[in-house]
Amino acid sequence: MLVSKNNFLVEVDSQFVQPAMKGFFIDTDFNPKLLSTKIGRIHTESIGVTAPSIYDVPLHQGDVVVFGHLVCQKKNMVHDNVFRCAYHSIFAKIVNNELKPLEEIMFCEPMRDEDQEFGGMIIPGGVSGTRAKVFELSEACKKAGIQKGDIVFFTKNADYGIDVLGKELYMMRIRNVIGIERDGVLKTFRNKLLVKNVTQLGSIGSIDKIYHQTSLQTGEVVESGKTGIVTGSVVTYLNGIASIVRWNGVDYAFIDETHIKYFK
């Protein structure tokens, strides 16, 4: 038996029980860690998969796979512990205790933010919501210029954490990455510019401003990526919150050429 194109059947552990509260089954995204084991086996293969990177990590019956946290919902249940799973909801295959990510997927280890000093007090840094260290990545991610061990800065809407192989990791896609730190140096990603923010903050009365109050910022181009803009150029650009990183006490931004409004 085969499943329709771009779909598989996955089987989770026999101990799987759909979460319930006061007799009602939970079928929401409110608590993803309770919705699925996230690890199972391919029960039935697809009749075919139309994806550009399918031959990097082929999937077969019996393979152990990591899949999306919403797969194990009542609406996807075929029979006990077997669920319909779309191909794009399968993130990786586990082979000999190693993750083999599919398509544009990577798994990253959480990092802690640096301690911050505020008003003479030290505030311990928590788990970062903007950067993580690449643990395993797909061939597509490698071709895009990401390497294992890179520290990636990612967008706020990166995917949920996942517990796999005794580690708690972030699963994210190439589109979540806005910039890279490699060997202690910031690097551009794809066709973006790396800009050091040199906006003059000024003051209000006798109090120095502590943040920018305008959508236009001034920056010096540190790395031009694949653009034709000369390093050292001073540009005025649109302030994209998702692209800004705080690195070694200085604000940097990874921006597209289309964000630039003026050159100096």
Side-chain angles (χ1 to χ4, degrees):
M1 183 178 76
L2 296 175
V3 189
S4 60
K5 185 177 289 187
N6 295 325
N7 287 280
F8 290 80
L9 297 185
V10 294
E11 182 177 9
V12 297
D13 190 274
S14 59
Q15 296 180 358
F16 172 82
V17 177
Q18 186 175 355
M21 182 178 295
K22 295 184 178 179
F24 293 96
F25 286 117
I26 302 172
D27 200 21
T28 72
D29 193 18
F30 293 142
N31 195 339
K33 287 198 172 184
L34 294 179
L35 283 173
S36 168
T37 62
K38 299 180 191 152
I39 296 177
R41 292 183 181 275
I42 298 292
H43 178 278
T44 307
E45 294 182 39
S46 174
I47 197 171
V49 176
T50 54
S53 305
I54 177 61
Y55 297 109
D56 290 341
V57 184
L59 298 175
H60 300 294
Q61 184 176 354
D63 285 344
V64 178
V65 291
V66 179
F67 51 86
H69 61 275
L70 290 180
V71 167
C72 294
Q73 297 185 80
K74 190 175 182 180
K75 66 181 181 181
N76 295 325
M77 183 179 286
V78 177
H79 52 82
D80 290 347
N81 305 320
V82 177
F83 299 84
R84 182 183 62 81
C85 179
Y87 174 73
H88 62 75
S89 294
I90 299 176
F91 305 140
K93 182 163 73 171
I94 299 177
V95 182
N96 297 325
N97 284 327
E98 291 187 8
L99 277 174
K100 302 291 184 182
L102 279 65
E103 305 299 340
E104 297 188 339
I105 300 294
M106 70 189 81
F107 291 85
C108 299
E109 298 179 88
M111 298 179 64
R112 298 192 69 84
D113 286 327
E114 297 177 356
D115 295 345
Q116 299 291 324
E117 183 178 353
F118 185 77
M121 298 178 60
I122 300 297
I123 302 175
V127 176
S128 177
T130 57
R131 64 185 186 130
K133 186 175 183 179
V134 177
F135 177 73
E136 288 292 354
L137 68 167
S138 67
E139 291 300 318
C141 292
K142 293 176 183 176
K143 290 177 182 177
I146 304 172
Q147 298 179 11
K148 187 173 180 177
D150 281 349
I151 295 173
V152 293
F153 296 92
F154 55 87
T155 57
K156 296 288 186 180
N157 62 339
D159 291 278
Y160 291 107
I162 184 169
D163 296 318
V164 61
L165 299 180
K167 287 181 171 287
E168 184 172 348
L169 303 171
Y170 288 130
M171 189 286 294
M172 64 182 71
R173 294 173 170 82
I174 292 177
R175 67 172 181 261
N176 294 121
V177 178
I178 62 172
I180 295 170
E181 178 186 339
R182 181 181 299 153
D183 299 326
V185 178
L186 289 182
K187 307 289 292 184
T188 56
F189 178 67
R190 289 184 165 176
N191 61 339
K192 292 191 174 183
L193 294 152
L194 174 60
V195 177
K196 178 181 178 181
N197 196 317
V198 294
T199 305
Q200 297 297 317
L201 291 176
S203 61
I204 301 176
S206 60
I207 303 175
D208 292 335
K209 293 181 182 178
I210 59 174
Y211 60 91
H212 307 301
Q213 292 178 308
T214 174
S215 61
L216 288 178
Q217 305 295 306
T218 302
E220 178 183 344
V221 177
V222 176
E223 190 175 330
S224 57
K226 297 180 180 179
T227 70
I229 298 174
V230 178
T231 300
S233 299
V234 176
V235 297
T236 299
Y237 58 95
L238 283 170
N239 179 18
I241 298 300
S243 71
I244 294 175
V245 300
R246 186 79 173 171
W247 191 72
N248 291 341
V250 179
D251 286 337
Y252 291 84
F254 297 94
I255 64 173
D256 295 321
E257 279 189 90
T258 53
H259 294 160
I260 295 175
K261 292 299 179 183
Y262 310 104
F263 282 90
K264 288 187 180 178

